[in-house]
Amino acid sequence: MNPDKQEWPARLLLSGSDYFQLLLDNHHRRHGLQGNIGRFAVEVKGRLDVRQLERIINDDPMFYWLHSLRLKKLLPFRLPQWIRVQSADPIPINRFEASQKDENILTQLFQRDINPYHDPPCRLDLINFEQDRTILLFSWSHILLDAYGAEILVRHMGNALNDQPIQLFASKDTQRSFIEQLKQSQKTRDFIFFENKPILISCLGKRDSRQINSYHALQFSKTETEQIIANCKHAGARFGRSPFLLAACMHSFNDLLKRKGIINTAIWVPIPQNNRKKGGFGPVVGNQLSYLFYRLFPQHLETMQKTVDVIQQQMIDQMREGIPASFSIMMDLLLRLPLWLYDKIVKSPTKGALASFFFSDTGKTLEDFNDFCGLPVSNAAHYPPNSSHPGFTIIFMDFQHKLQGMIAYTEATANEEDIAYFESSLRKNLCG
Amino acid sequence: MTAHISPSAIAENICFFIRNHLVIGSVEVTPATPLARLGLDSFSLIEIILFVERQYQLQLSDEALTQENICSSETLANYIHQHLL
């Protein structure tokens, strides 16, 4: 079915946050084997009816419109944008039949790229296992959607939003003067690159190693999750669990650096902030993210309590200074810049590095995700994009009242033994 | 300063901020609603603290920002009223 040409935009301008993801897409391609691709897997008990799913997505003009978007080749000083291409082809769902032992089929699917200039920005793979188990894997270009938007889209597809409406697009931002934008951008630039000099970034991975991504899931029981919440309080986490989870990751990451003989001078982690209003489902399209930046030195890692304190203080200070908002303004200002120049501006003060590792906590958005297309959901997890430089990403999420994590890494960054060590250290920091 | 303001007025003011900036329109926010139940993340909780600081021209110390004090709009308003205004 074709979308109504009158209703669906023929082009969609990228926001500053989307363009930043395009920058990351280039970074991922330069240092790895694929672009900035997010993945969300939903596992259900039973055999998901592929025809039913095909009907849902092909009868919905929204899915058809998303499927028809391609990124337009960038022209100097023109705003980057998605354009709608005409196609009468139905949206495909790639189907696989697998035996119980054949879990590595997911690993193979994780290696598939999405080229935003040539491919549809989203892809659906459906794996039917023997014994009535199905996994739906939704992959998307991060330039178009962030993890929250993708989650809403998938749940909408599976009629799993309790008939709540979704909001597709963000409302228009307030326009600011060019001078105001410059001022805000200058503030962010000074904060990120010049305060607390020197910025010394410790990385596990080798650059340009072009290794494939591997994933390792961390599961916590309900009892462990409750213990983690109790430990949050003991460690002095006053603003929810995220600072505690980040502190635990920093300690375990530092332990891993020591184990590998890397002398750590500072850990530098950008954290995405979800700017959506809570309680609703949207906006779906576009990255609604801003960033905070944490810089921790070895003396901040003496105890968990101290680390949590420092993270919370840095969080308050940055929000008081309006750094996340200024960073968003800076990203909007850089929209017209050619990517090569943007890349140089972002990376030159840090000698090409973007972070020590990437961290994200999507919170409790999956707490009530119980049904998908009428079948009980037994698991749902995000598989974050990961570049081989720095090559280490960890994301936390709650699923049905249980905390779970996903570590993305490359062989150049860590081997299986390192990941087992990291997990053991992390469990000790979180549950101990 | 606003020393005459009642705790319930402060709580209502906080609820007004939450309704307008942090949650969608259909979410019910009352002074007694636990903030955790609204699905607010760490950043949103800090937004509330910064709103209170701006609105009442005060700075909340680390000691003030306990989990008990930032449990709901009401608990935060009571703390502000008792200790700071």
Side-chain angles (χ1 to χ4, degrees):
Chain A
M1 179 181 159
N2 280 319
D4 184 340
K5 285 176 192 167
Q6 298 304 311
E7 285 183 24
W8 295 90
R11 62 183 197 141
L12 177 72
L13 294 176
L14 268 64
S15 68
S17 189
D18 299 334
Y19 195 50
F20 183 66
Q21 293 297 334
L22 176 58
L23 179 85
L24 292 180
D25 190 86
N26 272 18
H27 173 82
H28 286 228
R29 284 177 201 285
R30 193 173 309 134
H31 298 287
L33 293 173
Q34 57 178 249
N36 190 4
I37 319 287
R39 292 182 173 86
F40 181 52
V42 179
E43 184 174 336
V44 294
K45 287 177 192 156
R47 220 172 158 80
L48 198 62
D49 183 353
V50 70
R51 291 212 177 102
Q52 180 194 355
L53 206 56
E54 277 172 345
R55 262 197 310 275
I56 292 170
I57 57 174
N58 283 292
D59 286 352
D60 189 332
M62 176 187 71
F63 286 113
Y64 200 90
W65 177 75
L66 288 170
H67 181 72
S68 69
L69 295 176
R70 303 289 183 278
L71 198 62
K72 194 177 175 185
K73 281 280 177 199
L74 297 169
L75 297 167
F77 306 107
R78 296 290 298 273
L79 288 172
Q81 55 192 273
W82 294 97
I83 50 163
R84 195 180 69 196
V85 296
Q86 296 299 331
S87 164
D89 298 336
I91 306 169
I93 298 176
N94 308 302
R95 294 162 69 179
F96 303 89
E97 295 290 331
S99 69
Q100 285 302 98
K101 291 175 190 165
D102 209 5
E103 289 286 348
N104 67 357
I105 190 163
L106 267 183
T107 313
Q108 290 165 25
L109 293 174
F110 290 152
Q111 311 313 328
R112 294 195 179 174
D113 195 12
I114 292 177
N115 183 324
Y117 299 99
H118 302 118
D119 303 325
C122 307
R123 193 180 54 231
L124 278 167
D125 296 298
L126 190 96
I127 311 148
N128 276 313
F129 287 92
E130 295 167 345
Q131 314 280 329
D132 279 349
R133 189 164 74 94
T134 309
I135 293 179
L136 179 76
L137 181 68
F138 180 74
S139 310
W140 73 91
S141 166
H142 213 312
I143 306 161
L144 181 67
L145 308 170
D146 60 25
Y148 299 94
E151 220 176 69
I152 296 166
L153 203 60
V154 171
R155 292 183 66 178
H156 173 70
M157 190 188 302
N159 196 19
L161 292 174
N162 305 321
D163 294 325
Q164 296 276 331
I166 64 170
Q167 181 197 344
L168 197 55
F169 300 107
S171 47
K172 290 243 186 283
D173 278 350
T174 321
Q175 293 291 315
R176 289 178 181 83
S177 72
F178 183 68
I179 299 293
E180 176 61 19
Q181 288 184 56
L182 270 182
K183 269 189 201 164
Q184 295 290 335
S185 304
Q186 187 67 36
K187 184 165 90 175
T188 311
R189 189 170 165 269
D190 289 351
F191 171 79
I192 298 174
F193 299 129
F194 301 113
E195 269 187 26
N196 299 329
K197 274 203 296 185
I199 296 170
L200 297 164
I201 296 179
S202 50
C203 282
L204 280 170
K206 296 170 196 148
R207 294 184 190 182
D208 296 314
S209 48
R210 303 187 75 79
Q211 299 276 337
I212 59 168
N213 284 323
S214 299
Y215 292 96
H216 180 80
L218 303 169
Q219 304 281 356
F220 298 93
S221 66
K222 268 191 183 164
T223 315
E224 284 173 324
T225 303
E226 283 161 13
Q227 183 62 53
I228 290 167
I229 298 302
N231 290 347
C232 273
K233 290 180 188 169
H234 292 145
R238 292 163 290 166
F239 309 109
R241 68 184 193 186
S242 292
F244 179 71
L245 297 179
L246 176 59
C249 285
M250 283 182 164
H251 275 252
S252 300
F253 185 79
N254 200 40
D255 287 349
L256 189 57
L257 289 174
K258 277 188 204 157
R259 183 174 187 266
K260 291 171 81 79
I262 300 168
I263 297 165
N264 175 38
T265 46
I267 293 179
W268 166 252
V269 185
I271 305 287
Q273 178 190 3
N274 176 17
N275 290 328
R276 291 172 177 82
K277 284 188 174 182
K278 309 300 181 286
F281 295 106
V284 173
V285 174
N287 287 274
Q288 313 297 325
L289 305 173
S290 191
Y291 293 86
L292 278 89
F293 305 86
Y294 298 98
R295 184 177 1 228
L296 275 87
F297 291 90
Q299 66 269 26
H300 299 144
L301 298 171
E302 283 163 9
T303 63
M304 277 289 287
Q305 195 153 8
K306 187 164 192 176
T307 310
V308 169
D309 266 356
V310 172
I311 289 171
Q312 288 183 151
Q313 198 52 55
Q314 290 190 10
M315 185 159 69
I316 294 171
D317 291 346
Q318 286 181 56
M319 291 190 68
R320 191 172 273 141
E321 285 293 312
I323 295 296
S326 299
F327 188 75
S328 295
I329 294 167
M330 184 176 84
M331 288 193 293
D332 286 339
L333 189 69
L334 295 170
L335 258 172
R336 285 179 192 269
L337 223 54
L339 271 178
W340 64 268
L341 186 56
Y342 193 174
D343 194 78
K344 273 202 183 325
I345 289 172
V346 170
K347 292 181 186 167
S348 59
T350 58
K351 296 186 172 64
L354 283 169
S356 301
F357 62 91
F358 290 113
F359 171 97
S360 181
D361 176 15
T362 62
K364 300 188 174 185
T365 52
L366 297 172
E367 213 168 36
D368 61 343
F369 187 21
N370 299 316
D371 296 290
F372 185 86
C373 287
L375 294 173
V377 177
S378 51
N379 200 6
H382 284 281
Y383 292 82
N386 185 41
S387 152
S388 67
H389 183 49
F392 196 87
T393 303
I394 181 159
I395 184 169
F396 284 98
M397 63 215 101
D398 256 38
F399 172 70
Q400 295 179 353
H401 304 279
K402 285 183 282 189
L403 180 71
Q404 54 186 29
M406 188 65 71
I407 303 170
Y409 63 101
T410 65
E411 278 175 34
T413 314
N415 54 35
E416 284 180 14
E417 210 178 302
D418 293 328
I419 296 301
Y421 179 84
F422 181 85
E423 178 177 355
S424 154
S425 163
L426 189 63
R427 282 187 182 277
K428 211 159 53 186
N429 288 328
L430 291 173
C431 311
Chain B
M1 286 291 282
T2 44
H4 58 280
I5 197 164
S6 68
S8 60
I10 300 171
E12 263 314 321
N13 231 345
I14 296 170
C15 289
F16 184 78
F17 174 77
I18 295 170
R19 281 185 214 113
N20 277 290
H21 294 94
L22 303 178
V23 298
I24 62 158
S26 57
V27 174
E28 193 191 5
V29 185
T30 69
T33 310
L35 298 178
R37 202 185 290 164
L38 297 172
L40 300 178
D41 56 20
S42 312
F43 307 119
S44 304
L45 293 174
I46 293 176
E47 293 278 12
I48 295 170
I49 303 299
L50 297 180
F51 164 74
V52 166
E53 290 188 350
R54 279 194 309 270
Q55 188 75 10
Y56 299 104
Q57 294 162 34
L58 49 86
Q59 188 148 357
L60 293 166
S61 64
D62 275 3
E63 291 72 40
L65 300 176
T66 62
Q67 281 202 331
E68 291 71 29
N69 288 343
I70 48 179
C71 175
S72 66
S73 306
E74 200 168 52
T75 56
L76 185 57
N78 285 337
Y79 180 86
I80 292 164
H81 189 262
Q82 283 168 22
H83 295 88
L84 301 166
L85 293 181

